[in-house]
Amino acid sequence: MRGGGLRIYALIYLLFLYAPILLLPLFAFNSSQIIAFPLAGFSTRWFEELVTVDALHEAVLNSLFIAVVSAVLATLLGICAARTAARYRFRGKGPVLGFIMLPLVLPEIIVAVALLTLILQLGLDLSVWSVIAAHVLICVPFSIAILQSAFQNLDASLEEAAVDLGETRWSTFRLITLPLVMPGIISSLLISFTISLDEFIIAFFLSGTDPTLPVYLWGLLRFPSSLPVVMALGTILVVLSILLITTAEFFRRRGLARTGATDSGGFI
Amino acid sequence: MSGPIVALKGVHKSYGDYHALRGIDLEIGAGEFFSLLGPSGCGKTTLLRTIAGFEDASEGRVLLDGRDMAGVPANRRPTNMVFQTYAVFPHLSVAENVGFGLRRSQMPKPERARAVEAMLEQVGLGGLGRRAAHALSGGQRQRVALARALILKPKVLLLDEPLSALDRKLREQMQHELRSLQRQVGITFILVTHDQEEALIMSDRIAVMFEGLIAQLATPEDIYNRPVDRRVAEFIGVMNLLRAEIRRNGSGIEAEIEGLGTVPIEARQVPGGLTGAATAGLRPETLTVLYEGQPDRGRVTHGNIEEETYYGDMTYYGVRLDGTDRPVTISMRNLPGRDILDPGTRTRVAWSPEALIFFP
Amino acid sequence: MGPPALYALLMLAVPLATIFAYTFWTQDGLTIDRTLTFSNYREAFNDPLYRQLMLRSVWIAGAVTLATVMTAFPIAYFVSFHVPQRRKALWIFLITIPFWTSYLIRVFLWKVILGYNGVLNTTLLGLGIIDEPLSFILYNANAVVITLAHAFAPFAILPIFVALEKIDRSLLEASRDLGETHLTTFLRVTLPLAMPGIVAAALIVFIPTIGDYVTPRLVGGPDGLMIANMIQTQYLRLNDAPMGATLAVLAMAIVAVISALVFLASRLTARIWA
C-alpha cells in the first residue's frame, strides 16, 4: 500500500487528536468520583445530577441565547462581505477584508480585553449583549470563509441570466441566489452557533453576572468533587458540537453537489 | 421595409480611464445573423452587454425596434442572451430552466409545459426535460441555454461566445445547427466571437472590432476578400504582406512589389487613391507552386521552399521569393499524384495581379 | 462590504484604539488618571516578572509552533499525496472535528491525561513500563506545549494541505524525469512549493498561542503561566486596566514584530532559492 509508514503515523495522529474527546464519555459514565483508571462501573448519576442544578439551567439559557443571536448576526454580516468579496473588485478590498478576518488569528484575550476596556470606558454594564458583540466579531471570519466559496461557485451570469429572462433583482435573489447559497448559509449558522456555544475566554471577561455554559464549567473545575459532573456536561457539549458540525458539513457538501462544483476540502 | 431592429448611435462606454467602446454606430436588420468579431479586449462583449442592458452606455443611444432603451433594465428589454458559461441554473431541471422565463407570462400551466416540450424538441433535447441541469454535458447545456432564451421569442437573441467551450467537432456541428435554427425561427441573432472562421461560416454580416471601434462592417466575403486595413487583413485568415510602391503611369496605376516585380493594377485595388509606399497583400490560395514540367501560367516568379507543413487535405509552403527577406505562405491542395515538396527545393510561383490588395 | 467593515471598525478598531489609549493612562484607586505617561511601559519593561512572562510566552509559542508544524506536515502530506481524491474531504473533516468541540473541555482533559494520577501515568504503570508516575508532563511548560500542539493542529494542517494540493503533480514527475530521486524531488520541488503554506501555518499557530489563557492556567502550573494570565490578573483581580492594556498592547506588538520578521525571512529565502 502507498504511504504505509505515513498511514500508520496518520492513524496515531488521529488518535492523539481524538484522545481527549474519546476519554470524556468514559469518565462521564464512570460511577467513581475520582477521574482515573481503572474505571469503577457504569453509571448515569452525573447526568442525573445535571438536571437538578438551577444555576446550570440559567447558564444553558444564556449560552443558547448568545449562540443563536451571534450566529444570525454573524451570518448576515458574512453574507454581505462574502458576496462583495466574491463579486466586486475595488481598491482597498484586500486590506478591508483582511481587517474583518483579523479576529481569526487575534488571540481571543485581546478581543476580550479590548471590548472590556471600551465597555468600562463608556460606563456600560456587562451582559449577554457584550458577549454577543464579541462573538459576532469572531464568528464573522468563519462565516465569510464558508460563504465565500458558496458565492464563488455561484457564477455571476446565473443572476444575469435570470434578469435577462425577465426577473427583477429581488425575485432573482429569491429564485436563484438564495437556493444556491442556502446550504452555505445553514453551514455558516451552525458553525457560528458552535463557536459561540463553546467559546470561553471572551465570555469569561464579558459575561458579567450572566455566565455562559463554559464560564459555569470553568467555575466547577475548581472543585474536585464536581469533576464527574463536568465530564457529563462536557460529553453533552461535545456530542452536540459534533452533531452540529456534521450537519454543517452535510449542508456544505449538498451545496457543492447542487452547483455541480468539485469538493476542495474542509471549511477553512 | 421596416427600420433596423437594433440601432446604436455614437455609443461610448468607459470604466474610469479605460475606454471599452469609443463611438459605435451600427444598424442591424430584422432576421439578420450578425457577428461581432475581434480579439479579446476589443469591446465586443461590452457592446453585446450594452445591447442586453447589463451595461449602460456612457454616451450615445441604443434603440431596439425603434425604441430608445435608455433607463430600460435588462429584464424589460426584448432581448435574450446565451451566456458564455451558459448560466444554466444548476438547481433546476432542464424543463424548469427552459420554462424559467415563462413564469411571468399569463400562459396557463399545461400550455407552458407544451411550449417547453416543443422548444426542447426543436433544440434536440426532446424527452430530457426532467434531467437535473448539472448532469448535462457541455453541448446539452448550450442547447438548454438556447431553448431558454428562444422560448420567450425575443426580438434579438444575443450570443456571447456560445461555442468557445465546446471541442472542435461539436463546435462545428453546433455552428451549422445554430445557423439553421436561426433561419427557422427568423429571429435576429447577434453573435460575439473571437473565432474568425466561425464568424465567416455563420454570419450574414460581420463587424470586425479593434480597441472599442468597428474597423470594418461588411459581408463575410467582403471582409475576407476586401479587408479595409492590415489589422483586419491579418486577423481574418492568413495574409501575405509585401512591401510595395504605387505610382501613376499615364492614365493607369502600377505597383512595384518586392519579389514580384512591377505590374499594372486597377484603381479598385487601392483604397483612397493611395500612392507612394504601401503594403501589398496576397492570400495564400492566390499563389501557386508550379511543379517541374508544369507550364508557366499567368505571372511567374521564383523562390526557395523553406518550410512545409502538411495538413492532410492541404500543404502550406513557406516560400522565400527572390529578393525578399522572409517567406510568403502558399496553400496547395494535395491532389493524388502530387508530391509534397521538400524544403530547399527551388520552385516557380504563379500569381495574378487581380488578387492583390493594397494597404497604407 | 459596508456593514461587516463597519462592525469590525466599531467592535474591533475602536476597542483596540481604546486599550492603546489606556496604556498611557494610570489606575488611581477606582478611577483612571488621564494624564499621559509612559510609566506603564517603563514598569512593564523593568519589572522582571513581566519580562519573564513575555519571554516565556514567546518561547512557549515558538516551541508550540515548531512542534505543531513538524507533526502536522506529514499528516497534510499524507492526505494530499496518499489519500484518494474522493476521500480527502472526509479526512480533512475528521481532522477538524475535534477543533470544533469545546476548547475548555479538551484542555481540561489533557490535565486528566497528563496528571500525576492521570490516564497516561496509570496506563504506563499498569503496563509496567514505568515504576513511578512521570511528573515532568504536568504543571510545566511541556504540558502547555503538548496541549497547545493538540489544540492548534488543524490550524497547521489546513494551510499546509492547501499548499500541497496546489502543487501540480506533473512538476514532481518532471523532476523525476530530470533525474532527481524521490527524496531530492521532495527537497527541491515539493518543500519549496509548500513553503508558503508552512509559513502561513506557523504564523496562524504562533499568533493565537502567544495569547492563550486557558492552557497555561489549567496545565501550566506556576512555571507555565504566560502573559495572558497576567493580563487577566491585572484586569479582573488587581483592577489595573491600564497595566493590563499595556501588557496586551505589548503582546500584540511582539506578535506583530515576530510575524513580520518571519514573513520577511520567508520572502528572502524564497528569493535566494529562486
Side-chain angles (χ1 to χ4, degrees):
Chain A
M1 182 188 287
R2 290 177 65 206
L6 269 179
R7 182 175 293 266
I8 292 165
Y9 175 78
L11 292 174
I12 294 173
Y13 195 88
L14 274 188
L15 191 67
F16 165 67
L17 281 181
Y18 278 85
I21 56 175
L22 289 180
L23 287 173
L24 194 55
L26 290 185
F27 294 119
F29 288 104
N30 186 16
S31 56
S32 164
Q33 195 158 42
I34 299 155
I35 309 291
F37 283 122
L39 300 174
F42 181 83
S43 157
T44 54
R45 60 188 267 220
W46 311 119
F47 288 91
E48 284 152 22
E49 223 168 88
L50 284 177
V51 184
T52 60
V53 190
D54 284 340
L56 171 65
H57 298 163
E58 211 173 294
V60 168
L61 288 180
N62 283 337
S63 267
L64 287 178
F65 178 72
I66 290 170
V68 168
V69 177
S70 301
V72 171
L73 292 178
T75 301
L76 284 176
L77 292 174
I79 292 173
C80 294
R83 198 185 128 82
T84 317
R87 271 305 139 72
Y88 305 102
R89 308 176 104 198
F90 53 90
R91 198 172 297 180
K93 174 177 150 181
V96 171
L97 197 61
F99 181 66
I100 297 172
M101 299 298 270
L102 186 63
L104 199 59
V105 288
L106 211 58
E108 281 175 354
I109 191 152
I110 301 287
V111 175
V113 159
L115 265 171
L116 178 66
T117 312
L118 181 66
I119 290 167
L120 289 178
Q121 178 65 25
L122 296 176
L124 301 172
D125 285 330
L126 295 173
S127 69
V128 288
W129 288 102
S130 37
V131 182
I132 288 171
H135 280 185
V136 170
L137 193 68
I138 61 165
C139 289
V140 164
F142 286 94
S143 171
I144 292 176
I146 295 161
L147 289 167
Q148 208 169 359
S149 71
F151 277 106
Q152 250 152 16
N153 287 333
L154 182 73
D155 179 2
S157 49
L158 288 175
E159 288 172 1
E160 284 186 345
V163 171
D164 188 60
L165 295 168
E167 298 298 334
T168 60
R169 284 185 73 154
W170 164 241
S171 63
T172 296
F173 183 77
R174 190 168 58 80
L175 293 169
I176 305 297
T177 318
L178 205 57
L180 287 174
V181 297
M182 196 38 119
I185 290 174
I186 293 173
S187 175
S188 161
L189 283 172
L190 293 173
I191 296 262
S192 300
F193 180 87
T194 312
I195 292 172
S196 171
L197 192 67
D198 287 338
E199 199 286 328
F200 163 67
I201 190 77
I202 288 172
F204 183 46
F205 273 82
L206 298 179
S207 58
T209 52
D210 303 326
T212 64
L213 194 52
V215 174
Y216 176 76
L217 259 175
W218 177 258
L220 291 184
L221 291 183
R222 274 180 291 158
F223 312 108
S225 61
S226 61
L227 291 187
V229 179
V230 171
M231 293 291 176
L233 194 52
T235 305
I236 295 172
L237 213 54
V238 164
V239 168
L240 187 64
S241 295
I242 293 177
L243 280 179
L244 287 168
I245 292 305
T246 312
T247 317
E249 171 74 0
F250 169 78
F251 277 104
R252 192 187 66 86
R253 290 203 188 178
R254 203 172 81 170
L256 286 175
R258 208 180 255 196
T259 51
T262 48
D263 197 342
S264 58
F267 289 114
I268 314 174
Chain B
M1 193 182 135
S2 60
I5 199 89
V6 178
L8 305 174
K9 299 187 183 201
V11 171
H12 283 257
K13 176 71 191 177
S14 47
Y15 305 92
D17 292 340
Y18 177 69
H19 296 273
L21 299 175
R22 301 187 295 156
I24 302 285
D25 291 289
L26 184 61
E27 291 194 348
I28 299 171
E32 225 184 325
F33 198 125
F34 192 90
S35 291
L36 296 167
L37 173 67
S40 61
C42 71
K44 56 190 190 300
T45 295
T46 308
L47 186 56
L48 194 76
R49 292 171 57 83
T50 308
I51 298 171
F54 293 120
E55 311 279 350
D56 291 321
S58 313
E59 263 176 63
R61 296 201 300 154
V62 176
L63 288 92
L64 293 179
D65 204 13
R67 266 180 65 213
D68 194 326
M69 286 291 126
V72 179
N75 53 352
R76 286 196 277 150
R77 293 196 182 191
T79 58
N80 284 114
M81 181 124 147
V82 173
F83 291 81
Q84 188 169 10
T85 55
Y86 312 143
V88 171
F89 305 124
H91 59 306
L92 303 180
S93 72
V94 169
E96 285 169 327
N97 261 283
V98 174
F100 189 88
L102 296 177
R103 197 179 75 93
R104 297 199 161 234
S105 71
Q106 303 301 317
M107 206 184 277
K109 265 209 167 141
E111 204 175 313
R112 221 189 281 177
R114 271 198 299 279
V116 168
E117 193 45 54
M119 195 69 235
L120 283 173
E121 207 67 58
Q122 193 167 13
V123 297
L125 289 177
L128 289 184
R130 302 181 64 174
R131 177 137 342 154
H134 62 77
L136 297 178
S137 71
Q140 289 173 321
R141 259 172 231 223
Q142 222 258 320
R143 288 162 203 257
V144 172
L146 207 54
R148 184 176 71 181
L150 283 177
I151 202 169
L152 300 179
K153 301 193 172 64
K155 292 223 162 69
V156 182
L157 183 74
L158 308 168
L159 303 109
D160 185 8
E161 307 239 11
L163 307 178
S164 60
L166 304 178
D167 62 48
R168 194 188 165 106
K169 265 258 148 49
L170 191 55
R171 191 163 65 228
E172 283 170 4
Q173 185 194 336
M174 287 305 296
Q175 283 168 357
H176 290 286
E177 281 189 30
L178 262 184
R179 181 75 239 221
S180 63
L181 188 66
Q182 192 264 339
R183 290 203 178 113
Q184 244 178 67
V185 296
I187 291 172
T188 305
F189 278 30
I190 304 180
L191 171 81
V192 158
T193 181
H194 64 267
D195 182 342
Q196 38 109 2
E197 203 177 310
E198 185 169 296
L200 292 176
I201 292 172
M202 298 169 77
S203 321
D204 293 318
R205 283 195 304 156
I206 299 172
V208 184
M209 291 181 68
F210 291 105
E211 290 166 2
L213 285 170
I214 294 177
Q216 186 167 8
L217 174 61
T219 62
E221 210 192 332
D222 276 347
I223 296 264
Y224 188 80
N225 291 325
R226 285 170 283 283
V228 290
D229 59 26
R230 283 179 57 165
R231 280 184 312 177
V232 176
E234 286 188 293
F235 190 73
I236 312 286
V238 179
M239 182 68 88
N240 293 304
L241 298 174
L242 295 162
R243 276 187 290 274
E245 175 84 22
I246 300 172
R247 288 188 293 264
R248 304 211 160 270
N249 179 13
S251 59
I253 330 168
E254 62 174 24
E256 184 187 341
I257 304 154
E258 59 164 340
L260 298 178
T262 305
V263 289
I265 52 172
E266 287 172 45
R268 62 158 180 86
Q269 287 170 281
V270 185
L274 179 72
T275 52
T279 303
L282 271 177
R283 293 283 185 197
E285 65 274 16
T286 64
L287 292 151
T288 311
V289 170
L290 293 177
Y291 286 78
E292 224 161 300
Q294 271 185 307
D296 282 0
R297 64 176 130 95
R299 288 178 182 267
V300 171
T301 185
H302 296 269
N304 285 317
I305 296 181
E306 294 198 336
E307 290 163 35
E308 169 265 302
T309 315
Y310 180 73
Y311 276 90
D313 57 336
M314 306 283 282
T315 300
Y316 280 73
Y317 292 104
V319 179
R320 195 161 61 79
L321 302 176
D322 293 350
T324 61
D325 49 12
R326 57 197 159 13
V328 293
T329 304
I330 302 177
S331 62
M332 295 292 291
R333 189 155 288 286
N334 291 332
L335 299 174
R338 191 183 270 182
D339 291 336
I340 309 293
L341 299 172
D342 292 326
T345 311
R346 180 91 188 139
T347 184
R348 289 168 296 148
V349 173
W351 63 285
S352 72
E354 299 88 77
L356 283 167
I357 317 157
F358 292 90
F359 311 112
Chain C
M1 199 64 83
L6 190 69
Y7 191 84
L9 192 73
L10 283 178
M11 294 298 170
L12 189 60
V14 171
L16 287 178
T18 313
I19 59 166
F20 190 62
Y22 261 64
T23 63
F24 300 104
W25 298 341
T26 43
Q27 189 77 34
D28 185 15
L30 285 175
T31 57
I32 300 283
D33 179 355
R34 302 243 161 93
T35 339
L36 292 186
T37 164
F38 282 102
S39 68
N40 291 322
Y41 286 101
R42 256 197 305 277
E43 196 184 331
F45 283 117
N46 290 333
D47 190 322
L49 177 62
Y50 296 151
R51 249 202 338 249
Q52 190 198 359
L53 283 174
M54 291 277 184
L55 285 175
R56 187 191 291 153
S57 301
V58 173
W59 181 83
I60 288 182
V64 169
T65 305
L66 197 67
T68 313
V69 172
M70 299 262 280
T71 50
F73 187 89
I75 295 297
Y77 186 86
F78 171 74
V79 177
S80 180
F81 282 83
H82 293 296
V83 170
Q85 193 60 43
R86 66 202 157 75
R87 302 270 290 279
K88 279 180 183 174
L90 178 67
W91 268 87
I92 291 297
F93 182 56
L94 279 178
I95 287 164
T96 40
I97 281 186
F99 166 75
W100 297 110
T101 61
S102 167
Y103 179 57
L104 194 58
I105 301 283
R106 275 181 291 143
V107 174
F108 179 68
L109 259 297
W110 277 107
K111 183 174 166 167
V112 172
I113 293 171
L114 299 173
Y116 193 78
N117 288 317
V119 174
L120 193 63
N121 275 328
T122 47
T123 311
L124 291 177
L125 281 171
L127 292 172
I129 294 172
I130 52 174
D131 296 329
E132 53 184 290
L134 304 172
S135 58
F136 65 89
I137 49 171
L138 189 63
Y139 297 131
N140 56 31
N142 294 338
V144 177
V145 173
I146 294 174
T147 308
L148 285 176
H150 175 266
F152 285 92
F155 273 117
I157 294 172
L158 287 175
I160 300 174
F161 171 74
V162 170
L164 289 173
E165 280 291 279
K166 278 191 196 147
I167 297 176
D168 183 346
R169 298 306 191 251
S170 59
L171 292 176
L172 308 181
E173 290 176 353
S175 166
R176 304 279 332 269
D177 184 56
L178 296 169
E180 301 293 321
T181 64
H182 274 299
L183 182 67
T184 53
T185 296
F186 177 78
L187 293 176
R188 292 187 62 189
V189 182
T190 314
L191 205 55
L193 287 174
M195 218 18 118
I198 296 173
V199 171
L203 289 179
I204 222 168
V205 172
F206 182 81
I207 297 170
T209 44
I210 209 169
D212 193 68
Y213 171 82
V214 174
T215 302
R217 182 68 204 286
L218 281 182
V219 303
D223 295 335
L225 287 181
M226 289 164 66
I227 192 67
N229 305 96
M230 183 48 79
I231 295 173
Q232 187 263 345
T233 307
Q234 293 291 347
Y235 264 95
L236 301 186
R237 298 263 177 84
L238 304 178
N239 196 23
D240 188 349
M243 195 62 222
T246 308
L247 294 175
V249 166
L250 282 176
M252 273 193 288
I254 291 171
V255 164
V257 168
I258 292 178
S259 305
L261 287 178
V262 169
F263 183 71
L264 285 177
S266 75
R267 274 289 175 85
L268 213 61
T269 36
R271 194 166 296 172
I272 292 166
W273 224 312

